[in-house]
Amino acid sequence: VSGSVCERVVRQADVPVLTTRATEASDPHGYDEILVPTDGSEAAAAAIDHGVAIATAFDARVHAVNVVDINTISARAEYTPPTRLLEDLTEAGEAATERIAERAREADMDVVTEVTEGFPARDLLDYAEDTDVDLITMGTAGRTGLNRYLLGSTTERIIRHAEMPVLAVNAREH
């Protein structure tokens, strides 16, 4: 319930926190592919400028990705959400990734966008591995207490399992 020291620092820090695990994927010499995931929230938006700034510094490609969270729209595995709801969520995901793409284009960066349905933490990690992402830059709401326990955190799950560094930007301060 209390989480790790790293997760607590990420939740409470007033500045972005770069986490990295000692893996073969951790290369401190630069970044070529930077993933900036978004769910369209203000928390996710807090990381956009950081991701684009790092991409600019390393002349990296930005990957703006949205995963429509099927957990939130289906109570049971056999339940099929209404088509219009999926369309609405996909359109919102496209708008969110396009905001990142516009910001990257303004900085004259190469950008890739993708919207998919699935389970955000798992699918973002799969995307990062499949596209050889060197860094994930994402926002976090910095939830604490019962909200964190009940709602969980995609950012914390990614920090726990990512093979590459993760820059977490706490939206509370933005």
Side-chain angles (χ1 to χ4, degrees):
V1 173
S2 63
S4 75
V5 172
C6 177
E7 290 166 358
R8 186 177 178 125
V9 169
V10 167
R11 277 193 310 277
Q12 296 181 350
D14 295 338
V15 296
V17 177
L18 181 65
T19 61
T20 186
R21 295 173 47 214
T23 67
E24 290 180 24
S26 300
D27 180 6
H29 296 101
Y31 306 110
D32 295 319
E33 308 289 335
I34 298 177
L35 172 59
V36 183
T38 183
D39 60 5
S41 68
E42 287 185 35
I48 295 171
D49 287 339
H50 292 280
V52 171
I54 294 168
T56 300
F58 289 98
D59 195 28
R61 179 184 1 235
V62 173
H63 296 257
V65 177
N66 171 272
V67 178
V68 175
D69 188 353
I70 61 173
N71 273 331
T72 61
I73 57 177
S74 64
R76 300 185 323 237
E78 65 274 4
Y79 174 72
T80 303
T83 303
R84 186 67 212 157
L85 177 59
L86 282 175
E87 289 172 0
D88 289 348
L89 292 171
T90 300
E91 287 173 13
E94 290 168 352
T97 56
E98 187 54 33
R99 283 190 293 278
I100 295 170
E102 287 173 10
R103 177 65 186 90
R105 286 186 204 108
E106 288 170 4
D108 202 28
M109 303 307 311
D110 188 21
V111 64
V112 175
T113 62
E114 182 169 326
V115 177
T116 186
E117 298 169 17
F119 303 97
R122 183 195 69 198
D123 291 348
L124 290 168
L125 289 167
D126 288 348
Y127 179 92
E129 184 177 324
D130 293 346
T131 57
D132 295 322
V133 162
D134 304 301
L135 174 71
I136 301 173
T137 303
M138 60 192 307
T140 181
R143 287 188 189 104
T144 59
L146 189 58
N147 279 340
R148 180 180 148 262
Y149 179 72
L150 293 175
L151 299 174
S153 168
T154 299
T155 303
E156 286 183 12
R157 287 183 189 107
I158 288 177
I159 288 170
R160 247 182 257 134
H161 300 289
E163 294 292 316
M164 65 288 302
V166 178
L167 179 68
V169 181
N170 194 319
R172 276 193 334 254
E173 302 301 320
H174 294 272

